[in-house]
């Protein structure tokens, strides 16, 4: 009995069993069972392969299925195969990206977009960022984007620029984004870099530098840009686009006389009438810029005003339909109405005669309105409105003239005023003040308040606007605010008495200021 507890006995018995088993193996019958052995072996191997998640042959099989499905545009099958592959390697960004593309092909855009955003936020995946940029932002107007969309747009461009700083398209979009977002200091180096390929980007960078108060950098960038475009125009002297680029840089650098000579020479060399018209318009713009510069640095003497009028004669001769030229013509003519110098009067009359009929009527009508001749003003402004029916400034001043008359048709004046505002993008406070005054006279003080409040920020409109707002608030029973506006009007009157520049005289009954002629450029280009 003790032998059953002896390990040596058990070892001896095991050895004898194994030896006896092998000795009893039917070796002669093995060939008969080879088929069964092979089948069992194949099944074992297949089972191991089927249940192994990292089998190479299985991966290759799925790859072939995916490729075939994509070639046949069978995106449903492609989605199934990608889902299976992602289960095996859930962190494979390329598979996730391809699944997002497949979802998009299956018209599941929202799902695809979310997948791409996840890849960008968690993996900083460059292709996903490019997909989002192309499908969610490219081609959209900046003003239509919400604040979160603008932020996402910026983050995508920042990522793509960091990954591919030499990609011209991405660099250009990123620079434009920074400008639109007001981040000028970051945009300037990008624009400077782009100017190596797109020379006029250097002038854009110079303009931003000047807006930031860095005049030295602005002049350096503009000078380098001017040198670049000068080299280009030497190779192609008849290229009107390059001539415009040279002139723009010269104007930026305050080399006005050089810019005018550049444009005059380019007009003579221009090959087509269209190029000549474009260069002539630019010549008019250059003369306007020169006059504006003179106004900002001069003492406004009679000789300087005469020189400005003579320069405008040249501008009108070359660009009679340039809206900026016509605007300055109107401004200077109205500003010199009280000058009785013979030379000034002669040049002034010549300018009015040389303008388009609509502008000439507008100038005469506005001048009459400022002198208190309301009937003549209405007649001239109505003629101007027929010539230039889409000009907001003309319509606004016509509304003023109609509402100023004792028997004026206030409803018609209101309709014309509202038309002026509708037709003028970014209408000035003058337009709203006109409508506000008309609404007040129509007995609609509550409606007049928002328009009149826009006008108090303009010094020339503030006094009348405050007085009218006082009447509005008094009419609706808010005496406290009415008192504040009355005091503000008195303060404005006191400030003007101290020495503020006097406004041109207006009719006593006119509660509304006339619009700046700058808004006439809505139509003059059509003349």
């Amino acid at each position: 009995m003790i032998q059953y507890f002896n390990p040596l006995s058990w070892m001896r018995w095991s050895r004898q069993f194994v030896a006896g088993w092998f000795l009893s193996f039917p070796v002669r019958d093995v060939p008969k069972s080879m088929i069964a052995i092979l089948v069992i072996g194949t099944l074992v191997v297949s089972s191991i392969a089927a249940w192994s998640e990292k089998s190479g042959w299985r991966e290759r099989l799925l790859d072939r299925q995916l490729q075939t499905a994509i070639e046949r545009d069978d995106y449903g099958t492609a989605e199934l195969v990608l889902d299976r592959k992602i289960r095996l390697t859930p962190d494979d960004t390329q598979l996730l990206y391809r699944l997002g593309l497949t979802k998009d092909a299956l018209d599941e855009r929202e799902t695809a977009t979310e997948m791409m955003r996840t890849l960008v936020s968690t993996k900083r995946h460059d292709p996903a960022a490019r997909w989002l940029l192309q499908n969610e932002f490219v081609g959209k107007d900046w003003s239509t984007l919400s604040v979160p969309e603008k932020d996402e747009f910026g983050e995508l461009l920042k990522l793509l620029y960091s990954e591919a700083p030499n990609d011209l398209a991405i660099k250009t979009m990123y620079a434009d984004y920074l400008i639109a977002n007001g981040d000028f200091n970051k945009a300037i180096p990008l624009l400077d870099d782009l100017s190596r390929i797109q020379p006029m980007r250097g002038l854009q960078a110079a303009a931003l530098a000047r807006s930031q108060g860095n005049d030295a950098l602005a002049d350096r960038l503009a000078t380098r840009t001017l040198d670049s475009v000068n080299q280009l125009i030497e190779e192609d002297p008849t290229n009107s686009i390059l001539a415009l680029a040279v002139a723009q840089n010269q104007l930026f650098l305050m080399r006005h006389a050089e810019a005018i000579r550049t444009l005059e020479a380019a007009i003579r060399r221009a090959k087509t009438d269209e190029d000549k018209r474009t260069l002539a318009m630019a010549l008019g713009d250059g003369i306007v810029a020169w006059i504006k510069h003179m106004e900002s640095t001069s003492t406004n003497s009679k000789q300087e005003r005469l020189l400005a009028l003579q320069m405008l004669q040249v501008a009108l001769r070359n660009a009679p339909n340039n809206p900026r030229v016509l605007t300055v013509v109107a401004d200077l003519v109205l500003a010199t109405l009280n000058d009785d110098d013979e030379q000034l009067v002669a040049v002034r009359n010549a300018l009015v005669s040389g303008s388009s009929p609509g502008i000439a009527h507008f100038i005469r009508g506005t001048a009459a309105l400022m002198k208190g001749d309301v009937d003549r003003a209405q007649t001239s402004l109505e003629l101007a409105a027929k010539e230039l029916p889409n000009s907001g400034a003309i319509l606004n001043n016509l509304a003023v003239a109609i509402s100023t008359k004792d028997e004026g048709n206030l409803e018609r004046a209101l309709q014309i005023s509202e038309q002026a505002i509708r037709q003028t993008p970014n209408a000035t406070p003058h337009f709203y003040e006109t409508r506000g005054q008309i609404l007040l006279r129509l007995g609609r003080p509550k409606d007049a308040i928002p328009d009149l409040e826009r006008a108090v920020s303009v010094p020339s409109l503030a006094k009348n606007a405050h007085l009218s707002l006082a009447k509005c608030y008094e009419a609706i029973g808010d005496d406290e605010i009415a008192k504040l506006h009355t005091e503000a009007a008195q303060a404005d009157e006191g400030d003007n008495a101290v020495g503020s520049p006097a406004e041109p005289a207006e009719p006593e009954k006119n509660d509304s200021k006339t619009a700046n002629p700058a808004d006439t450029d809505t139509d003059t280009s059509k003349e």
Side-chain angles (χ1 to χ4, degrees), residues 453-517:
E453 286 179 339
R454 288 174 179 254
V456 295
S457 61
V458 181
S460 61
L461 304 178
K463 178 185 173 183
N464 279 341
H466 279 303
L467 288 174
S468 298
L469 282 168
K471 294 177 184 177
C472 291
Y473 281 106
E474 185 177 351
I476 63 175
D478 199 330
D479 295 334
E480 185 176 348
I481 296 182
K483 182 180 178 182
L484 292 175
H485 280 290
T486 300
E487 292 172 353
Q490 293 171 350
D492 284 332
E493 185 175 7
D495 290 340
N496 288 334
V498 173
S500 296
E503 291 290 317
E506 288 188 283
E508 292 182 359
K509 296 176 184 176
N510 182 16
D511 290 329
S512 183
K513 299 286 183 181
T514 56
N516 190 312

Side-chain angles (χ1 to χ4, degrees), residues 275-291:
D275 286 345
K276 290 181 180 179
R277 283 193 293 270
T278 302
L279 292 165
M281 292 288 282
L283 178 61
D285 289 338
I287 292 175
V288 167
W290 196 352
I291 291 172

Side-chain angles (χ1 to χ4, degrees), residues 135-181:
N135 290 277
E136 296 296 314
F137 297 102
V138 172
K140 290 188 177 179
D141 187 350
W142 172 260
S143 61
T144 63
L145 299 178
S146 64
V147 173
E149 287 175 332
K150 290 177 180 178
D151 292 341
E152 182 185 8
F153 184 38
E155 288 300 320
L156 290 173
L157 289 171
K158 184 178 179 181
L159 168 62
L160 292 171
Y161 178 68
S162 65
E163 295 292 332
N166 295 322
D167 188 316
L168 182 61
I170 295 299
K171 187 184 295 184
T172 301
M173 279 194 286
Y174 191 34
D176 291 338
Y177 165 79
L178 291 172
I179 294 170
N181 209 39

Side-chain angles (χ1 to χ4, degrees), residues 210-463:
R210 182 171 288 177
S211 72
Q212 297 298 98
N214 194 340
D215 292 334
L217 176 59
D219 290 344
R220 187 165 65 251
L221 290 169
T223 301
R224 192 174 67 196
T225 304
L226 179 59
D227 293 340
S228 298
V229 291
N230 269 329
Q231 291 176 3
L232 293 174
I233 201 169
E234 287 177 2
E235 300 171 2
D236 188 5
T238 62
N239 190 318
S240 60
I241 296 176
L242 291 176
L244 284 172
V246 171
Q248 286 172 351
N249 279 276
Q250 290 168 333
L251 288 171
F252 184 86
L253 292 167
M254 306 301 175
R255 303 178 188 176
H256 298 94
E258 292 180 28
I260 300 306
R261 288 195 296 270
T262 297
L263 291 168
E264 288 175 339
I267 291 172
R268 290 193 297 270
R269 292 193 298 261
K271 296 179 179 179
T272 67
D273 291 339
E274 181 63 30
D275 286 345
K276 290 181 180 179
R277 283 193 293 270
T278 302
L279 292 165
M281 292 288 282
L283 178 61
D285 289 338
I287 292 175
V288 167
W290 196 352
I291 291 172
K292 293 293 185 183
H293 177 68
M294 289 170 52
E295 289 176 348
S296 65
T297 58
S298 70
T299 58
N300 196 30
S301 64
K302 184 186 76 173
Q303 289 76 14
E304 289 169 340
R305 293 198 301 275
L306 180 60
L307 176 61
L309 291 172
Q310 290 170 337
M311 290 171 66
L312 279 176
Q313 283 184 303
V314 177
L316 275 176
R317 186 166 58 250
N318 286 276
N321 297 321
N322 186 314
R324 294 179 182 84
V325 171
L326 296 174
T327 293
V328 177
V329 168
D331 285 341
L332 288 183
V333 168
L334 293 174
T336 59
L337 284 176
N338 296 324
D339 285 324
D340 54 4
D341 181 83
E342 291 184 3
Q343 258 188 312
L344 275 174
V345 171
V347 176
R348 185 177 66 210
N349 291 338
L351 280 175
V352 175
S353 300
S355 302
S356 68
I359 293 296
H361 289 309
F362 170 69
I363 293 172
R364 294 189 185 101
T366 302
L369 187 61
M370 294 171 67
K371 289 180 177 179
D373 191 348
V374 181
D375 291 330
R376 183 179 176 187
Q378 182 176 344
T379 300
S380 294
L381 290 169
E382 284 178 340
L383 289 172
K386 289 180 180 178
E387 293 285 341
L388 303 173
N390 296 320
S391 172
I394 292 174
L395 293 174
N396 179 76
N397 290 4
L398 177 57
V400 173
I402 294 172
S403 64
T404 299
K405 297 174 69 173
D406 287 332
E407 70 282 5
N409 187 337
L410 293 179
E411 289 293 345
R412 182 186 174 215
L414 178 61
Q415 291 176 0
I416 294 173
S417 175
E418 290 177 337
Q419 184 181 352
I421 293 172
R422 283 197 307 270
Q423 292 181 180
T424 306
N426 303 317
T428 66
H430 297 76
F431 288 58
Y432 291 98
E433 199 260 357
T434 298
R435 186 172 67 177
Q437 297 288 2
I438 296 171
L439 288 168
L440 176 59
R441 292 186 62 187
L442 282 169
R444 296 165 57 182
K446 193 172 182 180
D447 295 331
I449 289 173
D451 286 342
L452 294 170
E453 286 179 339
R454 288 174 179 254
V456 295
S457 61
V458 181
S460 61
L461 304 178
K463 178 185 173 183

